[in-house]
């Protein structure tokens, strides 16, 4: 069994940036579970399956193969053998994914893949239900969050730096709608596990949050060895 660190939190809280950096410092494997859900979302989008049709989505996901591999330490996601790591980042894919990830059949399919990875390796896994459902016995659980406004501002900066035209208010609304869906769905909703450490990052920078995470991890690993 690997040493498992679970990081959950809402969209845009900086989970992947922090988890990737902390994994590097700790020599852990970073597992981005959102990317796996996004691969499913992309499949639904490509096949023009109505996202609201739970049965059709579940059926379409049944025979899909989602897998991950690591290239130069970076997680790559494959959809039926095709590397889709770039394409899954489109906003449109994120929006479909937020709807279809509420369906239990979609979640079941990815749960095994996620648990298998954590079984074999020391992982930092991020998502929405890692501490509450995927790895309920993880020795370290973190809940990383920030206000909607802060998260929207960060996303806005990121997109404008890439030269993309975007609207801050639209981003704010999009993030609030995603929170609403992720937190209020029946299957594995986003919530802070009772034993998770809360990290409110609105006033903290990436370096500060990363060193907090690395500090907690080292402390828990030390305790585990005592
Ligand atoms: O973290 P992300 O934005 O890449 O995730 C995309 C969507 O996938 C998000 O709206 C919620 C869903 N998701 C989930 O339901 N459970 C996870 N463990 C990870 C992501």
């Amino acid at each position: 069994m690997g040493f498992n660190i679970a990081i959950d939190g809402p969209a845009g809280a900086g989970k992947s940036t922090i988890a990737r950096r902390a994994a590097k410092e700790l020599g852990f494997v970073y597992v981005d579970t959102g990317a796996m859900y996004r691969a499913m979302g992309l499949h639904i989008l490509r096949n023009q399956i109505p996202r609201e049709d739970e049965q059709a989505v579940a059926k379409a996901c049944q025979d899909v193969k989602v897998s991950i591999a690591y290239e130069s330490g970076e997680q790559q996601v494959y959809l039926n053998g095709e590397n889709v790591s770039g394409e899954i980042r489109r906003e449109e894919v994120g929006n479909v994914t937020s709807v279809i990830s509420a369906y239990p059949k979609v979640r079941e399919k990815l749960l095994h893949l996620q648990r298998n990875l954590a079984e074999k390796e020391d992982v930092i896994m991020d998502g929405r239900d890692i501490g509450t459902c995927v790895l309920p016995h993880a020795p370290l659980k973190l809940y990383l969050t920030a206000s909607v406004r802060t998260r929207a501002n960060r996303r806005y900066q990121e997109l404008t730096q890439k030269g993309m035209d975007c609207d801050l208010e639209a981003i704010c609304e999009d993030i609030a709608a995603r929170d609403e869906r992720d937190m209020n769905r029946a299957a594995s909703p986003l919530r802070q596990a009772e034993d998770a450490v809360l990290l409110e990052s609105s006033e903290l920078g990436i370096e500060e949050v990363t060193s907090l995470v690395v500090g907690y991890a080292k402390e828990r690993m030390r305790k585990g060895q005592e």
Side-chain angles (χ1 to χ4, degrees):
M1 183 83 186
F3 187 93
N4 297 164
I5 301 174
I7 304 190
D8 291 302
K15 297 184 297 295
S16 57
T17 308
I18 303 295
R20 187 177 284 112
R21 285 177 175 231
K24 214 171 221 169
E25 279 194 41
L26 292 163
F28 278 35
V29 174
Y30 165 51
V31 182
D32 170 5
T33 63
M36 301 174 188
Y37 284 98
R38 283 172 181 265
M40 291 284 202
L42 177 61
H43 177 70
I44 297 307
L45 201 61
R46 280 182 175 175
N47 289 281
Q48 298 175 353
I49 294 154
R51 64 190 74 175
E52 311 295 346
D53 187 340
E54 181 169 350
Q55 274 197 341
V57 170
K59 193 163 175 287
C61 288
Q62 222 163 37
D63 303 319
V64 156
K65 186 162 166 38
V66 173
S67 55
I68 67 166
Y70 288 85
E71 283 165 28
S72 315
E74 282 295 309
Q75 177 181 294
Q76 306 291 317
V77 184
Y78 290 81
L79 172 63
N80 292 328
E82 176 193 349
N83 189 333
V84 292
S85 311
E87 201 177 346
I88 56 167
R89 296 295 151 202
R90 282 165 38 208
E91 287 298 299
E92 198 188 4
V93 176
N95 287 330
V96 174
T97 307
S98 162
V99 175
I100 65 140
S101 58
Y103 303 149
K105 289 275 180 226
V106 175
R107 306 201 69 78
E108 259 170 44
K109 173 125 192 164
L110 296 176
L111 185 63
H112 304 291
L113 174 60
Q114 293 162 6
R115 285 194 176 147
N116 279 342
L117 282 162
E119 183 85 41
K120 292 189 202 119
E121 313 269 359
D122 289 339
V123 297
I124 298 195
M125 188 177 282
D126 81 356
R128 303 294 189 286
D129 62 336
I130 311 305
T132 52
C133 173
V134 181
L135 305 174
H137 305 298
L140 176 60
K141 298 178 187 176
L142 301 154
Y143 190 83
L144 181 63
T145 190
S147 68
V148 171
R149 195 38 75 175
T150 305
R151 289 183 278 137
N153 270 324
R154 288 178 187 161
R155 183 83 186 128
Y156 179 79
Q157 301 292 341
E158 196 183 311
L159 292 173
T160 42
Q161 269 164 23
K162 283 185 191 161
M164 289 162 86
D165 196 22
C166 56
D167 173 42
L168 181 59
E169 288 316 309
I171 295 175
C172 243
E173 280 169 28
D174 196 47
I175 285 184
R178 255 190 227 195
D179 283 2
E180 167 72 22
R181 280 197 295 266
D182 292 350
M183 290 173 180
N184 296 307
R185 67 189 180 206
S188 307
L190 167 65
R191 59 181 177 78
Q192 183 182 340
E194 275 177 23
D195 50 351
V197 177
L198 175 66
L199 291 175
E200 216 305 336
S201 78
S202 298
E203 305 292 328
L204 299 174
I206 292 169
E207 301 294 339
E208 281 169 289
V209 183
T210 306
S211 58
L212 279 173
V213 172
V214 171
Y216 281 121
K218 287 186 173 164
E219 180 199 305
R220 295 291 160 100
M221 284 193 282
R222 238 189 344 262
K223 275 195 183 148
Q225 284 165 354
E226 279 168 13

